[in-house]
Amino acid sequence: MKSEDAADDTVLFTVEGCTGVITLNRPRALNALTHPMVLRIEEALAAWEHDPAVAQVLIRGAGERGLCAGGDIRAIHDDAKAGTAASAGFWRDEYRLNARIARYAKPYVALMDGIVMGGGVGLSAHGSVRVVTERSRVAMPETGIGFVPDVGGTYLLGRAPGRLGTHLALTGTAVGAADALLCGLADHFVPAERLPELTAALASAPAAELLPRHATAPAPGELAGRRSWIDRCYAADTVEEIVERLLGEDDPAAKETAETILAKSPTALKVTLAAVRRARALGPLEQVLAQEYRVSCHALRSPDLVEGIRAQVIDKDRAPRWSPPGLDGVGDEQVARFFAPLGPGRELGLD
């Protein structure tokens, strides 16, 4: 790995004892991920993988607000609005990094404290040791900005128990520690106050040895008690029928969920449902990432992505004008276009 560039401190690398430590260092931006950060993390992981002095890797976020709130969506907005392709290059390297993390030869410990969303999930939930705290809020909120879960999110959510993953994908709901564990997005719960002690101990001992001494049981979550109607409603064939079933449930939470879904991009909802279901049948993560790359690149030309980011992040009026505005305006042919091949030399190419 190259020496630290003092001009770029957005991600820091140190070796503490036997552990290589990655610290995302943009706390004011909730450690949002940029393209240069992705490239530097990739470089560090490649170097440490063959360094006998590094037995394991730890990734954490600076500050107390979260590990990573996702990618720099303002940059994606500007790229989509200008009709350029910088985002495609970013996603190509980001998704390759996600695949490396999932196949990393050494223990990869992710401290999923605070906000962990979008690209933050990609940096953490593919790791071999995933730690959440009482402050964790884990989500793939893409449908709210006219986008579709990526960074291997459809792979992870497609493998969640029952229909829980479909629920999280369509609603973009942020879950706490217990629900992240239930959905297979995390492995251990450690109270936030114990993280400094755990981090210090990792310098001299393997994570597998330490976690049993630091981990405990989290407070109960919400999803376990809602499994019956979640599994029943999200088994429907279409988004329209899912919403209809939710509205027909007696539990007020189900009706609230229907309203949450109806506020999202209709196009993104239908593409997301198809993506999660296709991901279940695709097999390895690399195949799912290749599908996500196609979907993301096509979404870059969708009006809903620019509009969704405008409404949620740029103008913050929280009043997106989706095109088309309703689910009935999104046909099967429109959905299928998001999965169409990109053409020679343009695919992700992880095979």
Side-chain angles (χ1 to χ4, degrees), residues 144-183:
I145 58 167
F147 197 46
V148 178
D150 65 336
V151 298
T154 61
Y155 175 88
L156 294 164
L157 296 176
R159 283 154 181 76
R163 307 289 177 168
L164 292 176
T166 306
H167 169 68
L168 297 184
L170 294 184
T171 63
T173 299
V175 298
D179 289 334
L181 293 166
L182 173 63
C183 292

Side-chain angles (χ1 to χ4, degrees), residues 93-298:
D93 290 325
E94 184 183 23
Y95 298 178
R96 287 177 172 175
L97 175 60
N98 301 146
R100 177 183 279 278
I101 290 168
R103 305 288 181 245
Y104 204 59
K106 297 178 180 180
Y108 181 97
V109 184
L111 300 186
M112 301 171 70
D113 184 34
I115 292 174
V116 185
M117 297 185 178
V121 173
L123 287 179
S124 57
H126 295 299
S128 53
V129 184
R130 305 163 301 174
V131 178
V132 284
T133 75
E134 72 279 4
R135 302 187 298 204
S136 295
R137 302 299 293 166
V138 184
M140 295 299 296
E142 286 78 7
T143 55
I145 58 167
F147 197 46
V148 178
D150 65 336
V151 298
T154 61
Y155 175 88
L156 294 164
L157 296 176
R159 283 154 181 76
R163 307 289 177 168
L164 292 176
T166 306
H167 169 68
L168 297 184
L170 294 184
T171 63
T173 299
V175 298
D179 289 334
L181 293 166
L182 173 63
C183 292
L185 300 173
D187 307 300
H188 307 278
F189 171 78
V190 175
E193 65 180 13
R194 295 188 192 175
L195 291 185
E197 179 185 352
L198 172 62
T199 300
L202 285 167
S204 57
E209 178 183 312
L210 295 172
L211 263 304
R213 301 204 299 265
H214 289 80
T216 184
E222 298 178 348
L223 294 181
R226 299 175 179 177
R227 272 292 300 276
S228 59
W229 60 258
I230 286 175
D231 287 352
R232 182 166 54 248
C233 294
Y234 288 94
D237 291 336
T238 66
V239 178
E240 290 94 332
E241 189 179 352
I242 288 171
V243 170
E244 183 179 351
R245 290 188 184 187
L246 288 168
L247 291 172
E249 290 289 330
D250 292 331
D251 190 334
K255 292 179 171 61
E256 291 173 9
T257 296
E259 296 302 321
T260 296
I261 291 174
L262 289 172
K264 311 299 183 184
S265 158
T267 300
L269 287 170
K270 291 202 171 184
V271 176
T272 293
L273 181 62
V276 171
R277 291 181 171 173
R278 288 177 179 225
R280 290 177 179 170
L282 278 175
L285 172 63
E286 287 80 1
Q287 293 295 319
V288 179
L289 286 167
Q291 171 178 274
E292 290 180 350
Y293 187 71
R294 286 181 176 179
V295 171
S296 295
C297 288
H298 288 300

